[in-house]
Amino acid sequence: MAEETMSLLSGQKPVLRFAPSPNGRLHLGHALSAIINHDMAKAIAGRFLLRIEDIDLARCTDELEQGIYEDLAWLGLNWELPVRRQSDHFDVYREGLDRLIAMGVAYPSFMSRGDVKAFVTDHEAGGRIWPRDPDGALHYPALDKQRTEHEVSALLSSGKKHAWRLDMDKGLALLETPLQWRETGRGSDEVIDADPAAWGDVVLSRSDAPSSYHLSVVMDDAVQGVTHVVRGMDLYHATSVHRLLQELLGLPAPEYHHHRLILDDTGNKLSKSRGSASLQVLQEQGLAGSDIRGLLGI
Ligand code: GLU
């Protein structure tokens, strides 16, 4: 499938996208990503799309979405309309999830974060190490996969809170060829071996949102015909999961370009939660949008 995909891509107009979440104001890291996407799209006569990743309905707000438009306009960028907003497309992600369920590679998981933590603490009390994913989060235990069908349907019909997860082993078992992606983030065109198993059974649909980051990104990149995914190095390892979902769902594989991150004085990547200065604050301090490229070394 991968070869077909590449030849298909070579005849297409390049499509790039910047895909922020409106759960805080944009900072310099976002500005770097948006500008690189915008400039690369221009350089290869491609399209530049903006996608609002707002599946987390509790944290994303219309006001912050407006802030994204203001900040990007301040940076001097322009993007195609209409903007795709993920919260308008939960039916698309549900359809993807249903296909994975029908293929037998998705299962409902009932353990809360606290349950998982307690399970792992217990496991590690004996000196054994429990696996963590590339972001440091605990792998999900296999307990829910050992339930009988009867037990699972009883739990589902009782209305017990659950997420849907990918059964990583079963998903990997369906692959017919090695899982790889094309990466241009290090200057040359490389083929990277994907390692989705490093993530364990990732979430496909959250208990508090009818999708997950991984599933909606993969479905949207396909729906929007994205040919080049350009994003920060913090999402490099997530690409392994995205490639697996693309293969399972029969979706095309874009090329990937993971760019450098902007770090703060303490060497951490900028983040909304650590209170990194937002573009809005820089603007209030008197900077012009056109100063930002210089500040970022572009
Ligand atoms: N919404 C993600 C973020 O804000 C980016 C997703 C992506 O580029 O694939 O970090």
Side-chain angles (χ1 to χ4, degrees):
M1 182 160 51
E3 275 161 31
E4 269 174 42
T5 299
M6 284 303 159
S7 51
L8 192 82
L9 290 183
S10 60
Q12 276 176 5
K13 192 173 168 88
V15 181
L16 285 78
R17 86 309 193 265
F18 173 57
S21 295
N23 55 14
R25 290 297 293 237
L26 301 185
H27 53 58
L28 283 173
H30 296 111
L32 178 69
S33 207
I35 293 172
I36 295 178
N37 265 289
H38 174 268
D39 290 4
M40 274 179 72
K42 228 170 153 184
I44 56 177
R47 299 167 57 200
F48 173 56
L49 310 181
L50 173 62
R51 184 164 79 218
I52 299 294
E53 302 215 324
D54 61 346
I55 60 166
D56 189 340
L57 298 172
R59 291 174 64 216
C60 296
T61 67
D62 291 345
E63 201 187 327
L64 289 168
E65 183 182 325
Q66 287 310 315
I68 289 174
Y69 303 139
E70 282 163 27
D71 291 342
L72 295 181
W74 178 67
L75 289 172
L77 307 184
N78 39 57
W79 54 92
E80 282 186 21
L81 296 174
V83 169
R84 184 175 176 89
R85 190 188 292 114
Q86 290 190 325
S87 59
D88 293 336
H89 299 284
F90 284 128
D91 54 333
V92 173
Y93 317 133
R94 179 70 220 190
E95 193 258 330
L97 173 65
D98 285 342
R99 278 163 59 198
L100 295 168
I101 294 172
M103 291 165 71
V105 297
Y107 68 93
S109 62
F110 300 96
M111 292 171 81
S112 66
R113 216 174 273 181
D115 294 339
V116 173
K117 203 162 172 233
F119 172 88
V120 172
T121 304
D122 194 39
H123 177 91
E124 293 191 331
R128 292 170 298 177
I129 300 292
W130 186 258
R132 267 82 174 161
D133 71 22
D135 285 346
L138 300 169
H139 276 206
Y140 192 76
L143 301 180
D144 285 320
K145 289 190 286 192
Q146 288 148 11
R147 295 180 192 282
T148 62
E149 240 174 76
H150 178 74
E151 235 182 305
V152 171
S153 41
L155 282 168
L156 288 178
S157 47
S158 76
K160 189 165 166 65
K161 221 170 140 180
H162 61 280
W164 284 87
R165 286 179 183 270
L166 180 70
D167 186 324
M168 185 56 74
D169 291 338
K170 286 190 180 165
L172 289 173
L174 293 182
L175 294 180
E176 285 163 14
T177 51
L179 194 64
Q180 299 177 319
W181 82 83
R182 279 180 70 183
E183 171 71 43
T184 58
R186 283 186 285 230
S188 58
D189 196 344
E190 297 174 276
V191 176
I192 309 291
D193 291 321
D195 179 21
W199 289 90
D201 291 354
V202 289
V203 175
L204 298 170
S205 175
R206 293 162 39 165
S207 59
D208 60 351
S211 187
S212 70
Y213 160 63
H214 296 305
L215 182 61
S216 41
V217 160
V218 157
M219 297 294 288
D220 279 351
D221 283 341
V223 168
Q224 296 189 286
V226 172
T227 56
H228 296 70
V229 172
V230 177
R231 59 188 180 192
M233 270 303 288
D234 51 336
L235 293 169
Y236 181 88
H237 293 291
T239 308
S240 287
V241 175
H242 300 173
R243 285 292 300 113
L244 175 58
L245 292 175
Q246 286 155 358
E247 288 298 312
L248 292 174
L249 292 164
L251 305 174
E255 277 181 38
Y256 287 86
H257 179 104
H258 293 95
H259 59 72
R260 67 188 163 99
L261 299 176
I262 305 291
L263 306 179
D264 65 16
D265 301 344
T266 61
N268 284 308
K269 88 174 169 100
L270 299 184
S271 90
K272 296 161 188 163
S273 54
R274 260 195 293 274
S276 302
S278 65
L279 299 181
Q280 183 187 27
V281 167
L282 298 179
Q283 186 176 3
E284 283 162 9
Q285 286 171 352
L287 262 81
S290 51
D291 296 330
I292 300 299
R293 284 174 181 267
L295 213 59
L296 292 168
I298 300 177

